[in-house]
Amino acid sequence: MWKNLILIGFVILLSSCGAKRKGLEASKESKEVILGKSEAVSYKSLGNGVASISLQLFENNTFKFDFKSIPQPESTEKPVVISEKGTYISDGNWKILSFKNPKFLLSAIFDSEFASDTDFKIIDKETVKINTSKSALPIWGVICEKL
C-alpha cells in the first residue's frame, strides 16, 4: 500500500515538474513587444478606396503597424489584414523600424515606386527606415498623414 502511494506521489511530482519546464520554454519563445502608453509619432491613411493604414510609434521605442486592404466592389477578394508590432531606434529625424518575422514583404508595403529616398529606405527583409520629419508618408501607394 505504501509503495503505491509513494509511486503515485512520485509520478505526480515528475509530471508537474515537466509542465513547469514546458511553460517556461513557451514563455521564452513568445517574447511579445509591449507597446507604450503614449504615442511619439503616428501616421494614418487619408480617405481612399484602397486601404486603411496606421503606424503608431510609442515613447518606449515600440511601434504598431495596422493594414487592411479594401477589396473592390465587384471583386470576390477578401481583405488583406496585417497587424504587426516591433521596436525602433532613432537616427535624427529618421526612425529605424524592426519588424520581428513579418508575414509580408516590406518592399511590397513600403513600395519605392510611390515614394522618394527622402521618405523611407528598406534596409533588409525585417527593417525599414522612415523619415518622421515629413508631414505625410506613402505606404503601399496610400498617403498616410502625420497626426
Side-chain angles (χ1 to χ4, degrees):
M1 169 102 171
W2 286 104
K3 288 182 182 179
N4 290 339
L5 287 176
I6 292 173
L7 182 61
I8 290 172
F10 187 71
V11 169
I12 290 172
L13 179 65
L14 285 177
S15 65
S16 66
C17 289
K20 286 182 184 178
R21 183 180 301 148
K22 288 179 183 175
L24 183 61
E25 289 170 359
S27 66
K28 282 182 183 176
E29 290 173 6
S30 61
K31 290 181 181 176
E32 187 174 335
V33 174
I34 299 175
L35 299 175
K37 296 192 187 298
S38 61
E39 293 179 358
V41 179
S42 66
Y43 292 89
K44 183 147 178 74
S45 60
L46 301 173
N48 65 76
V50 179
S52 175
I53 303 169
S54 71
L55 175 62
Q56 300 167 289
L57 282 67
F58 296 95
E59 84 290 344
N60 69 339
N61 289 7
T62 60
F63 70 87
K64 183 173 184 192
F65 175 72
D66 288 312
F67 175 94
K68 182 177 181 184
S69 67
I70 301 170
Q72 298 306 308
E74 297 175 7
S75 167
T76 60
E77 294 177 3
K78 292 186 178 185
V80 174
V81 178
I82 299 170
S83 186
E84 295 278 341
K85 293 188 259 184
T87 59
Y88 71 89
I89 57 173
S90 297
D91 182 14
N93 289 330
W94 292 82
K95 305 291 186 228
I96 302 169
L97 283 63
S98 296
F99 292 82
K100 185 175 180 175
N101 300 320
K103 296 177 177 41
F104 62 94
L105 290 173
L106 284 180
S107 60
I109 298 295
F110 292 92
D111 191 346
S112 59
E113 184 177 323
F114 299 106
S116 70
D117 285 342
T118 61
D119 293 321
F120 58 79
K121 297 174 184 171
I122 296 177
I123 297 171
D124 59 34
K125 66 179 185 173
E126 295 182 344
T127 313
V128 65
K129 186 176 184 179
I130 64 169
N131 188 347
T132 56
S133 68
K134 302 269 188 161
S135 60
L137 184 65
I139 301 174
W140 206 54
V142 175
I143 298 298
C144 298
E145 189 174 72
K146 187 176 182 180
L147 303 175

